[in-house]
Amino acid sequence: MKALVLAGGSGTRLRPITHTSSKQLVPVANKPILFYGLESIAAAGITDVGVIVGSTAPEIEAAVGDGSAFGLNVTYIPQSEPLGLAHAVLIAQPFLGDDDFVMYLGDNFVLDGITDVVEEFRKDPRDAQVLLTRVDNPTAFGVAVTDDKGNILDLEEKPRTPRSDLAIAGVYLFTTAVHEAVRAIRPSARGELEITDALQWMIDQGMAIRSTVITGYWKDTGNVTDMLEVNRTLLERLQPSVDGYVDDESEIIGRVRIEPGAEVRRSRIVGPVIIGAGSVVSDSYVGPSTSVAENCRITHSEIEYSIVLRESSFDHIRRVAASLVGRNVKVALAPGLPATHRLVIGDHGHVQLSS
C-alpha cells in the first residue's frame, strides 16, 4: 500500500500567514501540521508516499526532504494549480500504479492516527473506504449518507439541507478502481474534479464504499480557530520537561516544556505551554494553550491561547489571546489604554498596539 498526501492549495482561510508560508507547514505545538500526517502514515506501516505540491513546493520539499526523517520514501508530484482532489489522484496515477493507497489531506489532523483503518482495509479491502466524523455544521463539508452497516449510499458536497451529520474527514483508502472513476467524472461548477463526485460515480456503478466513523479527535486546520484548537489539544498531551534555563524568580505551573537553549526569567508560565529552543521569556506571563516557536522574545508581556511562530517578539504588550502570529513579527507598545488584542499577523509584520 502507498500513500498520497495533498500539500498544495493556497490556504486562503489562513491568510495573511499563507501569503508567505505553506498552510501545511504552520506549526501546532511547535511542529508543522503536515508532519503529524506523515508520522501517522509511517506508523501505519506505509513507506512509499507521493506528496502533491503546488506553488509552495520549494518550502514543502525543504521541510520534508526525501522523507527519511519520518521513515518514508517521498516522491513529489507537482500540480500546476489546485484543480480538485480527484485531479490529484488523476495526476498521481503513474506513481500509484496498481497499488492500493491512502489519500491524506495534509492540513487535516487525526489525533489517534490511521493505523487501525489501514489495517482493516488491508485485511478486508473494498473498492474504497472513507473516514467520517460527526459535525455540528454539515453544510460546510462533504456529507455521507450510510446504511446500518456503514456502507456509503450517497454523498453530498456542502448540502443546503443535509441528510446526515457525517462529514468526510479528509482520509480516504482506495483500490485501483478509483482511477476509472476520476477519469469518468467532469469538473464541478467550481471547475474542479471533486473526489465526492468520483466516489458517487463508484457508488452508482455498484462498487462497495465502506465508511469508518472517527470516535476520537479530528480537525480540518484550514482556519485560525481550528488551528488554535488543535494546538490546545496537542499541548494537553505534552510531556513536561525543562531543558532550558529557568531562574529562581520564575514560576512554572502544569504541563510546560522549556526546550534547549530557551530562557525564562522573572516570569510565570502556566501550562500547557511549550517554549521553543532559543526563545527568551522575561518579566512576562505565558498562559495555557500557548506554543512559542524558536528564537522568540517575550518581554513584559502577557499571552495565552496563542501560536507564535519563530523569531517573533512581544514587548510590553498586555494582553494577547486567541492569536496566530507569523514569523519574524514584532509587536511593540504604543501609548493608550489597556486592551485585549486578537491578532492574525503575517510574516515580517510590525504592529504597534495600545496596551
Side-chain angles (χ1 to χ4, degrees):
M1 182 178 282
K2 293 178 179 176
L4 185 64
V5 176
L6 275 64
S10 56
T12 56
R13 291 180 294 163
L14 278 173
R15 287 177 181 170
I17 298 294
T18 49
H19 279 307
T20 52
S21 177
S22 166
K23 65 177 178 178
Q24 294 86 6
L25 294 181
V26 176
V28 286
N30 282 8
K31 183 192 297 184
I33 191 69
L34 175 62
F35 287 13
Y36 293 99
L38 294 175
E39 289 169 353
S40 292
I41 288 166
I46 299 170
T47 56
D48 289 330
V49 179
V51 179
I52 300 288
V53 290
S55 60
T56 60
E59 188 179 10
I60 297 287
E61 293 179 24
V64 176
D66 64 2
S68 57
F70 305 91
L72 303 172
N73 301 314
V74 169
T75 299
Y76 294 99
I77 303 167
Q79 187 181 35
S80 57
E81 54 184 312
L83 295 174
L85 305 187
H87 180 262
V89 175
L90 187 66
I91 64 173
Q93 202 280 326
F95 164 77
L96 296 167
D98 295 328
D99 292 304
D100 298 344
F101 67 98
V102 176
M103 184 167 74
Y104 195 113
L105 305 193
D107 57 356
N108 276 229
F109 179 77
V110 182
L111 183 61
D112 295 326
I114 61 172
T115 299
D116 290 346
V117 69
V118 168
E119 189 60 29
E120 180 185 16
F121 194 77
R122 281 178 167 143
K123 290 179 178 178
D124 183 20
R126 305 295 172 91
D127 295 300
Q129 186 162 342
V130 181
L131 266 65
L132 305 176
T133 186
R134 297 192 182 279
V135 295
D136 295 329
N137 56 332
T139 56
F141 298 91
V143 174
V145 178
T146 63
D147 64 17
D148 56 3
K149 295 182 180 179
N151 298 305
I152 297 179
L153 304 177
D154 195 17
L155 291 161
E156 302 173 288
E157 185 64 34
K158 299 181 175 63
R160 291 185 178 180
T161 308
R163 292 185 286 153
S164 158
D165 64 350
L166 292 170
I168 299 174
V171 179
Y172 312 77
L173 298 95
F174 292 110
T175 65
T176 56
V178 72
H179 297 302
E180 183 181 2
V182 298
R183 289 192 299 267
I185 63 174
R186 295 292 176 263
S188 66
R190 61 178 183 170
E192 297 188 4
L193 291 177
E194 310 284 359
I195 199 65
T196 48
D197 289 344
L199 286 164
Q200 188 64 55
W201 185 91
M202 295 171 74
I203 293 168
D204 294 342
Q205 300 302 309
M207 298 184 189
I209 313 295
R210 179 170 54 200
S211 69
T212 297
V213 178
I214 297 173
T215 56
Y217 184 84
W218 167 86
K219 277 288 183 185
D220 170 2
T221 60
N223 60 53
V224 173
T225 299
D226 289 338
M227 187 73 73
L228 292 171
E229 176 63 17
V230 171
N231 192 62
R232 180 193 65 78
T233 299
L234 284 168
L235 289 176
E236 287 179 350
R237 290 189 164 198
L238 187 73
Q239 293 300 315
S241 63
V242 177
D243 297 318
Y245 172 78
V246 179
D247 71 5
D248 293 338
E249 297 179 67
S250 296
E251 186 178 16
I252 306 295
I253 301 171
R255 291 181 177 272
V256 175
R257 180 182 296 172
I258 311 295
E259 296 192 329
E263 299 180 15
V264 178
R265 301 177 182 275
R266 301 175 302 280
S267 296
R268 189 167 188 256
I269 314 294
V270 180
V273 165
I274 183 168
I275 306 296
S279 290
V280 177
V281 180
S282 58
D283 303 291
S284 294
Y285 164 77
V286 180
S289 304
T290 302
S291 60
V292 178
E294 302 82 10
N295 300 316
C296 293
R297 296 291 182 270
I298 299 178
T299 306
H300 293 284
S301 298
E302 301 173 358
I303 185 167
E304 64 184 12
Y305 194 61
S306 294
I307 299 172
V308 181
L309 275 59
R310 67 177 187 264
E311 299 176 354
S312 291
S313 65
F314 287 78
D315 188 3
H316 285 81
I317 300 299
R318 293 173 170 73
R319 158 179 313 221
V320 173
S323 299
L324 172 58
V325 179
R327 298 172 296 185
N328 199 28
V329 168
K330 298 178 182 178
V331 186
L333 178 65
L337 297 173
T340 295
H341 309 291
R342 186 179 188 277
L343 309 173
V344 180
I345 305 172
D347 298 346
H348 304 288
H350 188 161
V351 177
Q352 288 188 317
L353 300 172
S354 297
S355 182

